[in-house]
Amino acid sequence: LAKTTQPISMDSYEGQEVNITCSHNNIATNDYITWYQQFPSQGPRFIIQGYKTKVTNEVASLFIPADRKSSTLSLPRVSLSDTAVYYCLVVVGNYGQNFVFGPGTRLSVLP
Amino acid sequence: NAGVTQTPKFQVLKTGQSMTLQCAQDMNHNSMYWYRQDPGMGLRLIYYSASEGTTDKGEVPNGYNVSRLNKREFSLRLESAAPSQTSVYFCASSSDRTQETQYFGPGTRLLVL
């Protein structure tokens, strides 16, 4: 089963770019990597998903190196409302029968 | 569009009592999931249903049973609650298991005394 690791916490200031890295060993060739955001007392919310290289949407970018042993979520110009816990999710297996959430990174954005 | 809804929002049980957590989605998704999240921890998969009529165990299935009642509804049952099952339970759904973009409900907070 793939195991993921993330930094426990990070601090940033408003307007800065934040990069959060997730390490995932033993990820299979066909796995997608997905990132979620969670606010207190709410369910996780999808941010971005990728398979390789770089993916960008309106809120974030996701960088995945060629060896796919890690992925980096990049949040440009964070604001106070980006304070949350961020999880990476790795799916293992062709039928997605194993979902491995990372332990989560608590991001605190300071004014 | 309500998305994924869960009932109840909060429940207190005594050890040994049983209860069913309800989940419904209105997005016509094929796959549904149940997770638990313990304080300060990440999410762990309890059971999932890839499609109507099928269910499979996840990482932590012991002490739980599930029923995929129809395409919309996926329930989680605790037959004999234990204090170790005190947690927040999240239901999620996705249209395509391979893509795994999951949409989560608001959660059910369960306290077992």
Side-chain angles (χ1 to χ4, degrees):
Chain A
L1 193 66
K3 180 179 178 181
T4 61
T5 59
Q6 300 177 233
I8 294 174
S9 63
M10 297 180 70
D11 290 339
S12 180
Y13 290 96
E14 281 191 291
Q16 288 187 329
E17 178 185 74
V18 170
N19 296 310
I20 305 174
T21 297
C22 175
S23 298
H24 23 77
N25 66 351
N26 201 31
I27 184 173
T29 307
N30 296 325
D31 289 352
Y32 281 86
I33 299 158
T34 312
W35 284 81
Y36 290 83
Q37 176 191 56
Q38 186 178 30
F39 296 111
S41 301
Q42 295 185 23
R45 185 176 70 173
F46 171 84
I47 302 175
I48 195 167
Q49 182 183 68
Y51 177 70
K52 60 181 179 181
T53 62
K54 178 183 176 181
V55 178
T56 297
N57 62 21
E58 62 275 10
V59 298
S61 294
L62 179 60
F63 300 92
I64 303 170
D67 65 8
R68 290 171 35 87
K69 292 186 177 180
S70 66
S71 61
T72 299
L73 172 71
S74 180
L75 303 173
R77 298 179 298 280
V78 293
S79 64
L80 296 176
S81 62
D82 292 318
T83 294
V85 180
Y86 292 83
Y87 294 96
C88 62
L89 169 64
V90 174
V91 181
V92 179
N94 290 333
Y95 297 98
Q97 63 267 39
N98 290 316
F99 315 115
V100 181
F101 270 93
T105 298
R106 185 173 300 277
L107 172 65
S108 297
V109 180
L110 308 172
Chain B
N1 247 1
V4 179
T5 57
Q6 294 182 234
T7 55
K9 287 187 170 61
F10 181 70
Q11 183 73 45
V12 179
L13 291 179
K14 294 180 180 178
T15 297
Q17 287 185 318
S18 62
M19 80 163 293
T20 299
L21 282 66
Q22 306 287 352
C23 174
Q25 53 92 8
D26 62 3
M27 296 174 282
N28 200 35
H29 284 170
N30 289 317
S31 301
M32 297 185 74
Y33 317 84
W34 276 106
Y35 293 90
R36 61 176 289 173
Q37 185 174 36
D38 299 322
M41 304 286 287
L43 291 96
R44 292 184 292 170
L45 182 67
I46 305 172
Y47 271 94
Y48 65 96
S49 170
S51 61
E52 185 178 354
T54 68
T55 60
D56 287 285
K57 295 178 181 179
E59 182 185 354
V60 289
N62 291 345
Y64 306 95
N65 285 302
V66 290
S67 295
R68 184 72 183 268
L69 305 170
N70 47 55
K71 192 172 185 178
R72 290 187 63 249
E73 299 171 290
F74 189 37
S75 63
L76 178 72
R77 182 161 178 83
L78 288 71
E79 290 292 349
S80 179
S84 61
Q85 293 179 305
T86 293
S87 190
V88 180
Y89 291 85
F90 289 102
C91 177
S93 69
S94 67
S95 59
D96 181 337
R97 288 193 79 219
T98 302
Q99 297 293 332
E100 294 308 335
T101 302
Q102 298 183 25
Y103 296 85
F104 285 80
T108 293
R109 295 182 177 274
L110 177 65
L111 174 62
V112 183
L113 301 174

